[in-house]
């Protein structure tokens, strides 16, 4: 073995300030790391999940078809849904050599019930369920996060009805409940139904209502220099007023997506007609990765933190000293065992108490039974004695009766005998007198 000091010079000196910088005397190759990362990401593919929240028939499906230039499946929803449901479909899309697994989730029946108070609940539950699945995967001993199908919602397009007035209370309540869980991008749907001047006022009104109600919507990031300018400008255009259409028509010499009316044509991709292009730029081309990142680092992190705290985990003890997972586990385990013992003891005590009570109850019942038996026995003896006395009386009477009957019979036979001899005597006397 070499003594340790032999290696000291080969190691970068670690001082209190951090690591030492060394100049390279030639090309090494780690400048290809970003390329390696890109190649790896391309081979893995990406996933992106969009949640469309909005009243039935507000143009959710049409906008998705328009955004991704395809026809996703999805039948229109009837207005008679008993509650809000979330319908999800996953598609594999490919552009150049980039694969995107995209899931579109749409609310069905949102805003159709008379009582709309609970409409946000199924949406919140859905978002939490996706976070929970991810957390469960993370907590597994054998994790397969690299090919785990991440179903967490990366962007929530909130469709606002083009009323030109103000936000409905269902919109404010729902957005408020969702803003800490998902990146909300509010959009004014079917904005061809609203005039230019009304739209400007409507946008201002919506923004001020969101601010006054403390609703946090997604802001396009301005910390990255390359996109800071465009994102900053776009933030000022929120909420985007969009028009969707799958119908195409020739404008000039180009086929364009349009909505045709008797009085004119709305071009979906014309920025002076609507903000569709702005939405597509911001959502897909510029900020898709930021939306994915924000979902993981902000919203999921918050869910994870709350969940782990709920489970009793913490990073520091009451004295702000680091508290490891192992310590938390041991503390929780001891707490649990203590509680278990306490419960066991309580149950044992309760069992003994119950046995005692039952024993006393049984004793009482036995005593009552004995008393009843004695009472019945005495009653029976009295009855028996009475019957015996009665029988004796009857026997005596019967003896007496027999005696009397015998005497009567004797008297009767004697009387018969006496009666017979007198008749003979009278006959004899009659005969004798006839001869005379
Ligand atoms: N004027 C106008 N109509 C639109 C727009 N987008 C969609 N529509 C029409 O609105 C109707 C409903 O559109 P969908 O895309 O099915 O609406 P949805 O929100 O998906 O409806 P459900 O899924 O049934 O809740 C269709 O007739 C669309 O052609 C738009 O931007 N402006
Ligand atoms: Mg639809």
């Amino acid at each position: 073995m070499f003594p340790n000091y032999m290696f000291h010079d080969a190691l970068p000196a670690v001082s209190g300030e951090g690591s030492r910088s060394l100049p390279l005397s030639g090309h090494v190759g780690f400048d290809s790391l970003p390329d390696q990362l890109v190649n790896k990401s391309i081979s893995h593919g990406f996933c992106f999940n969009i949640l469309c929240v909005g009243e039935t028939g507000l143009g959710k499906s049409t906008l998705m078809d328009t955004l991704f230039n395809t026809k996703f499946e999805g039948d229109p929803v009837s207005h008679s849904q008993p509650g809000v449901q979330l319908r999800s479909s996953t598609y594999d899309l490919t552009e150049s050599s980039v694969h995107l697994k995209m899931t579109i989730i749409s609310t069905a029946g949102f805003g159709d019930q008379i009582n709309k108070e609970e409409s946000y609940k199924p949406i919140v539950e859905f978002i939490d369920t996706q976070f929970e699945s991810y957390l469960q995967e993370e907590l597994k001993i054998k994790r397969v996060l690299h090919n785990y199908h991440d179903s967490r919602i990366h962007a929530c397009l909130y469709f606002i009805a083009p009323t030109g007035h103000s936000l409905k209370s269902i919109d404010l309540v729902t957005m408020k409940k969702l803003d800490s869980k998902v990146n909300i991008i509010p959009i004014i749907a079917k904005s061809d139904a609203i005039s230019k001047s009304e739209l400007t006022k409507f946008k201002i009104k919506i923004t001020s209502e969101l601010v006054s109600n403390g609703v946090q919507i997604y802001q396009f990031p301005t910390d990255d220099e390359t996109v800071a300018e465009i994102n900053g400008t776009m933030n000022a255009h929120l909420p985007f007023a969009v028009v969707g259409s799958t119908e195409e028509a020739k404008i000039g010499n180009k086929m364009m997506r349009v909505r045709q009316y008797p009085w004119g044509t709305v071009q979906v991709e014309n920025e002076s007609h609507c903000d569709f292009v702005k939405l597509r730029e911001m959502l897909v081309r510029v900020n898709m990765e930021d939306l994915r990142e924000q979902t993981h680092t902000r919203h999921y992190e918050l869910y994870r933190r709350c969940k782990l705290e709920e489970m009793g985990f913490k990073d520091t003890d009451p004295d702000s000293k680091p508290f490891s997972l192992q310590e938390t586990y041991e503390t929780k385990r001891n707490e649990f065992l203590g509680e278990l013992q306490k419960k066991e003891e309580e149950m044992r005590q309760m069992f003994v108490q119950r046995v005692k009570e039952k024993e006393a109850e049984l004793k009482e019942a036995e005593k009552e039974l004995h008393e009843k038996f004695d009472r019945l026995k005495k009653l029976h003896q009295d009855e028996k004695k009475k019957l015996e006395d009665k029988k004796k009386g009857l026997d005596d009477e019967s003896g007496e009766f027999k005696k009397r009957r015998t005497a009567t019979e004797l008297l009767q036979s004697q009387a018969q005998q006496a009666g017979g001899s007198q008749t003979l005597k009278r006959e004899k006397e009659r005969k004798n007198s006839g001869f005379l």
Side-chain angles (χ1 to χ4, degrees), residues 143-178:
R143 301 182 295 181
V144 273
L145 284 170
H146 59 281
N147 58 17
Y148 168 81
H149 178 208
D150 188 0
S151 57
R152 293 170 299 174
I153 310 294
H154 301 113
C156 165
L157 291 182
Y158 194 94
F159 288 66
I160 300 165
T163 57
H165 286 271
S166 56
L167 285 171
K168 298 179 185 179
S169 53
I170 184 177
D171 296 331
L172 279 171
V173 170
T174 309
M175 281 198 257
K176 185 83 198 132
K177 294 285 176 190
L178 297 186

Side-chain angles (χ1 to χ4, degrees), residues 23 29 37 45 60 89 116 147 185 202 242 245 318 323 399 424 430:
L37 212 65
K60 301 182 287 295
S89 315
K116 298 179 180 68
N147 58 17
I185 303 176
F202 192 35
V242 296
S245 175
F323 201 63
L424 274 174
R430 197 174 49 87

Side-chain angles (χ1 to χ4, degrees), residues 8-155:
H8 282 178
D9 272 352
L11 292 168
V14 179
S15 69
E17 283 117 343
S19 55
R20 198 171 70 182
S21 320
L22 291 179
L24 302 174
S25 45
H27 181 248
V28 179
F30 60 76
D31 58 351
S32 72
L33 254 176
D35 301 331
Q36 292 173 31
L37 212 65
V38 169
N39 292 339
K40 205 170 170 182
S41 300
I42 289 179
S43 73
H44 268 157
F46 299 85
C47 83
F48 194 71
N49 307 318
I50 301 182
L51 169 66
C52 296
V53 181
E55 289 169 24
T56 305
L58 257 188
K60 301 182 287 295
S61 306
T62 312
L63 189 78
M64 285 299 108
D65 291 352
T66 321
L67 265 177
F68 289 93
N69 231 341
T70 185
K71 175 85 193 94
F72 298 115
E73 64 230 22
D75 297 325
V77 179
S78 85
H79 282 287
S80 51
Q81 294 280 327
V84 179
Q85 276 178 5
L86 281 104
R87 295 186 181 169
S88 144
S89 315
T90 301
Y91 308 90
D92 282 316
L93 309 176
T94 308
E95 192 174 31
S96 305
S97 56
V98 179
H99 300 286
L100 180 71
K101 195 183 258 299
M102 202 175 70
T103 303
I104 297 176
I105 303 105
S106 188
T107 53
F110 186 77
D112 280 335
Q113 293 75 43
I114 294 170
N115 182 358
K116 298 179 180 68
E117 223 171 278
E118 309 269 275
S119 297
Y120 69 87
K121 274 197 179 155
I123 307 172
V124 169
E125 274 163 23
F126 183 87
I127 297 170
D128 282 348
T129 309
Q130 312 318 312
F131 282 149
E132 186 59 34
S133 312
Y134 194 86
L135 182 63
Q136 287 309 319
E137 188 62 38
E138 254 192 0
L139 294 176
K140 274 185 189 167
I141 293 173
K142 278 189 187 169
R143 301 182 295 181
V144 273
L145 284 170
H146 59 281
N147 58 17
Y148 168 81
H149 178 208
D150 188 0
S151 57
R152 293 170 299 174
I153 310 294
H154 301 113

Side-chain angles (χ1 to χ4, degrees), residues 183-200:
N183 299 312
I184 301 177
I185 303 176
I187 52 177
I188 301 167
K190 296 189 177 182
S191 68
D192 50 331
I194 196 165
S195 78
K196 217 170 173 180
S197 58
E198 281 172 344
L199 189 64
T200 316

